[in-house]
Amino acid sequence: LVDKPPLPAMRSDMGPPYMAGWAVALMLVGLVQLWSAAAEGAMLQRLDDTSFEHETQAATGMTTGSWLVTFGAEGCKDCAPLRGGLLEAQKELQESYVIPAHVDRSDSKGLWKRFAIKQVPTTLFLTRGQMFRYNGKASAADLLAFAREPTGKAEKIPPEPSFLAQLWEKAFGGGADL
């Protein structure tokens, strides 16, 4: 007969062996909750200066789909209802291949300049190299209708600022349009 290897000795400072299992279980429960919240559309995607172009591909062909993006700022009383409307319409927007998102001024000053955002909230529909400015109500039904049939003047999506323009902005605080 072959002898079985001995069980490893347990140190007294390790605690009961089942405690590690609880930590893993709690971590898995947290991950499942985050995943299900995202799957149910409980969170809007947040974009900022560093993630916007990578996610939307607005200047390079928009292969990720169309985007309905609300630009807002902390303390804006009209921004919350608009984000709520986007959140409510999120599932239907995604079924129409439109990704709803929001941008906050605090970490997106470059986007505000690029898209000439002058007031909050401002909602833009980005599709096929064009953008449309939304002037309707904050309701899910109105946002959905706008995303399906955009109204108003189609504008060309502005390109990302050049490297030189970004460098000038950091060095001198603006004024360059390179």
Side-chain angles (χ1 to χ4, degrees):
L1 293 181
V2 179
D3 288 334
K4 293 182 184 173
L7 291 174
M10 214 98 175
R11 293 189 337 232
S12 61
D13 63 336
M14 289 176 62
Y18 58 84
M19 291 304 285
W22 278 104
V24 171
L26 287 174
M27 188 171 55
L28 288 174
V29 166
L31 289 173
V32 168
Q33 287 174 336
L34 281 174
W35 175 78
S36 64
E40 292 174 11
M43 298 184 300
L44 283 178
Q45 182 161 354
R46 182 174 175 158
L47 301 171
D48 58 31
D49 279 344
T50 57
S51 67
F52 187 88
E53 195 58 39
H54 176 75
E55 294 294 330
T56 66
Q57 300 174 2
T60 58
M62 299 197 70
T63 58
T64 59
S66 299
W67 290 75
L68 189 58
V69 182
T70 294
F71 291 76
E74 193 165 325
C76 166
K77 64 179 174 65
D78 295 327
C79 295
L82 202 45
R83 286 184 184 161
L86 280 176
L87 193 57
E88 188 179 332
Q90 183 170 11
K91 183 177 179 186
E92 289 179 85
L93 285 167
Q94 289 173 336
E95 288 171 357
S96 300
Y97 304 102
V98 176
I99 303 165
H102 70 97
V103 174
D104 192 89
R105 184 181 174 106
S106 64
D107 55 6
S108 304
K109 289 178 178 58
L111 290 173
W112 283 64
K113 185 175 181 177
R114 176 180 173 188
F115 288 98
I117 305 298
K118 304 288 187 217
Q119 66 183 25
V120 292
T122 294
T123 300
L124 301 177
F125 180 57
L126 310 173
T127 185
R128 298 182 187 133
Q130 298 180 320
M131 67 180 194
F132 296 84
R133 295 183 186 269
Y134 179 68
N135 295 314
K137 297 177 184 173
S139 75
D142 288 345
L143 288 161
L144 190 58
F146 177 73
R148 289 180 175 159
E149 296 269 338
T151 56
K153 180 183 166 199
E155 302 172 51
K156 187 175 191 282
I157 293 176
E160 286 186 278
S162 70
F163 174 75
L164 288 176
Q166 290 176 33
L167 188 62
W168 186 271
E169 177 78 27
K170 287 184 186 203
F172 302 108
D177 191 17
L178 305 174

